[in-house]
Amino acid sequence: MAKQEISPSVIRRLPRYHRFLGELAAKGIVRISSMELSRQMGLTASQIRQDLNCFGGFGQQGYGYNVRALRDEIGQILGVSLHRRTILVGLGNLGRAIASHVSFPACGCELIGLFDSNPFVAGRDLDGMPIHHTDTLSGFCRQEHPELAILCVPEQAAPRIAKQLSGLGVRAFWNFSHGDLQLDEPGILVENVHLADSLLTLTYGLRQQSDPESDGE
Amino acid sequence: MAKQEISPSVIRRLPRYHRFLGELAAKGIVRISSMELSRQMGLTASQIRQDLNCFGGFGQQGYGYNVRALRDEIGQILGVSLHRRTILVGLGNLGRAIASHVSFPACGCELIGLFDSNPFVAGRDLDGMPIHHTDTLSGFCRQEHPELAILCVPEQAAPRIAKQLSGLGVRAFWNFSHGDLQLDEPGILVENVHLADSLLTLTYGLRQQSDPESDGE
DNA sequence: TAGATTGTTAATCGATTAACAATC
DNA sequence: TAGATTGTTAATCGATTAACAATC
């Protein structure tokens, strides 16, 4: 009965479909064809139909797709209405920004704890949520069983904390610390975010544009 | 003479090579084989050799690659030692975090201006850099000619600001506002960053792991 | 020279696109 | 019914992997 494996490329596109369909729904648009959606998203209609069909026939011949229904289906697939218990470790500039900028409920997550190793930061709070000291991580996890952890800690601290947390039952890491997080334990999910990598592709692109022939700098 | 086009997949991997080689160099490692590097990075040796050869023979048979030299070559390709004039618009939580968290010099960028539309934010400063009001953007651009802009503004404001800036000579946008930035002007580079999309792939992954058969929630 | 490892070509694999019959 | 648009198969394209001759 296990439906066939979905390819990573398709999965990476799902959040984007979800986002676009949400905006269409917000505009009150009821139905859309793969053709029209492809124009708006910069994909081919073929690809959209191919992608959506991995999960079953959401459309209707001669009509297209019902925007709201399709969005809900994709949301279901992604698990946006779940409440994954999530903690965030490291409340420097980036940690604080992530905590307040990302909409956790919209991502199927519930932020249940904030942690920092700095005694001047621990004890304070962020948007009404208390920041605990990292010394209390074990106790907290044994009680609250978070399954997802966001790491906004310095690079050297990340592997140690990740190891500790995976031992305490955390099964997925959203890692913002510099350096890729590599865990031996199998079955632990890691999503490494490297903002600088993204910026560098722009720097590279500018280079190609402005001085396509030049080799030196 | 135009060397053949490099594929986007290769380009997206370059920053990661650069990062890993930097760490190896910092550890004092002088040479590395594609085999050993592949183990550390989780790629195949074949792919590494294939990737690096897009740009010319950086290695040496029977020896491998010189870590420092290879890193420098890739840095050169990415343009990390350039000083792209860069501005950042929107100094909310995320904008402030980006400004202080990302190492612009290491990405070939130089942050030359900060802007916000909130009169209570404009006039202040961040890490010693003054925050200007967005009303002064045009004048600033005409004088300082930034070529890259980082947008950390609300979704509705982004298209308007991007259009204004592209008219003023900005050729690349690093967009953190929700929603994909779509510009008509050709030749303008856009890198949309959607942190929520990245988190959603984790949510999805957890779903596959824990309840692979379940369809409902 | 012998051993190691690259550069590069050929083979495989996966993802995207095109085409069209099925059907609303 | 006629028109539109999907679901799906087949064709193409690109990216990854395997293999090995070149060479340090």
Side-chain angles (χ1 to χ4, degrees), chain B:
Chain B
M1 189 69 187
K3 36 186 149 176
Q4 73 165 47
E5 211 57 45
I6 307 300
S7 88
S9 350
V10 175
I11 293 163
R12 294 245 157 229
R13 280 192 292 270
L14 290 183
R16 193 152 173 268
Y17 285 126
H18 192 252
R19 197 147 38 79
F20 270 82
L21 290 165
E23 289 184 9
L24 289 168
K27 280 186 203 148
I29 291 165
V30 173
R31 70 163 272 273
I32 194 159
S33 68
S34 56
M35 184 63 205
E36 177 54 23
L37 188 58
S38 75
R39 249 185 244 112
Q40 300 195 18
M41 294 187 64
L43 302 171
T44 65
S46 222
Q47 179 166 59
I48 290 176
R49 293 204 298 278
Q50 197 78 269
D51 282 355
L52 298 181
N53 253 74
C54 295
F55 305 96
F58 296 154
Q60 192 172 306
Q61 280 100 330
Y63 174 86
Y65 299 85
N66 177 293
V67 172
R68 193 167 286 278
L70 181 55
R71 173 164 190 271
D72 289 349
E73 288 281 6
I74 295 176
Q76 189 94 181
I77 292 161
L78 290 169
V80 298
S81 51
L82 300 179
H83 304 272
R84 302 282 183 198
R85 297 169 77 71
T86 302
I87 61 174
L88 191 155
V89 188
L91 285 139
N93 282 312
L94 191 62
R96 288 199 306 276
I98 298 294
S100 39
H101 178 265
V102 174
S103 169
F104 292 98
C107 293
C109 296
E110 187 185 347
L111 201 52
I112 60 167
L114 304 175
F115 297 85
D116 200 285
S117 64
N118 183 335
F120 294 99
V121 173
R124 296 175 174 243
D125 75 270
L126 183 74
D127 302 336
M129 236 187 132
I131 301 174
H132 306 290
H133 194 275
T134 42
D135 285 348
T136 66
L137 261 178
S138 306
F140 183 93
C141 290
R142 273 190 262 271
Q143 195 123 37
E144 301 290 345
H145 304 291
E147 45 185 346
L148 201 159
I150 305 166
L151 304 183
C152 300
V153 299
E155 178 166 7
Q156 333 92 285
R160 204 196 65 239
I161 296 178
K163 200 173 174 198
Q164 180 192 10
L165 288 173
S166 73
L168 289 158
V170 172
R171 290 156 51 226
F173 292 91
W174 200 23
N175 176 43
F176 286 85
S177 73
H178 297 297
D180 286 11
L181 192 59
Q182 294 171 341
L183 294 172
D184 331 322
E185 271 108 319
I188 303 280
L189 303 172
V190 177
E191 176 84 4
N192 292 301
V193 180
H194 289 286
L195 295 176
D197 287 9
S198 158
L199 177 55
L200 278 170
T201 60
L202 273 182
T203 319
Y204 175 86
L206 277 171
R207 198 106 186 294
Q208 297 321 103
Q209 262 190 352
S210 53
D211 25 60
E213 302 299 329
S214 100
D215 256 314
E217 349 211 299

Side-chain angles (χ1 to χ4, degrees), chain A residues 65-104:
Chain A
Y65 299 85
N66 177 294
V67 171
R68 194 168 284 279
L70 181 55
R71 172 164 192 269
D72 289 349
E73 288 282 5
I74 295 177
Q76 189 95 181
I77 293 161
L78 289 169
V80 298
S81 51
L82 300 178
H83 304 272
R84 302 282 183 196
R85 296 170 77 72
T86 302
I87 60 174
L88 191 155
V89 188
L91 285 140
N93 281 310
L94 191 62
R96 288 199 306 276
I98 298 294
S100 39
H101 178 264
V102 174
S103 169
F104 292 99

Side-chain angles (χ1 to χ4, degrees), chain A residues 90-157:
Chain A
L91 285 140
N93 281 310
L94 191 62
R96 288 199 306 276
I98 298 294
S100 39
H101 178 264
V102 174
S103 169
F104 292 99
C107 292
C109 297
E110 186 185 347
L111 201 51
I112 60 167
L114 304 175
F115 297 85
D116 199 286
S117 65
N118 183 334
F120 293 99
V121 174
R124 295 175 174 245
D125 76 272
L126 184 74
D127 302 334
M129 237 189 132
I131 301 173
H132 306 289
H133 195 274
T134 41
D135 286 348
T136 67
L137 261 177
S138 306
F140 183 93
C141 292
R142 272 189 263 272
Q143 195 123 37
E144 301 290 344
H145 305 290
E147 46 184 346
L148 201 159
I150 305 167
L151 303 182
C152 300
V153 299
E155 178 165 7
Q156 333 91 283

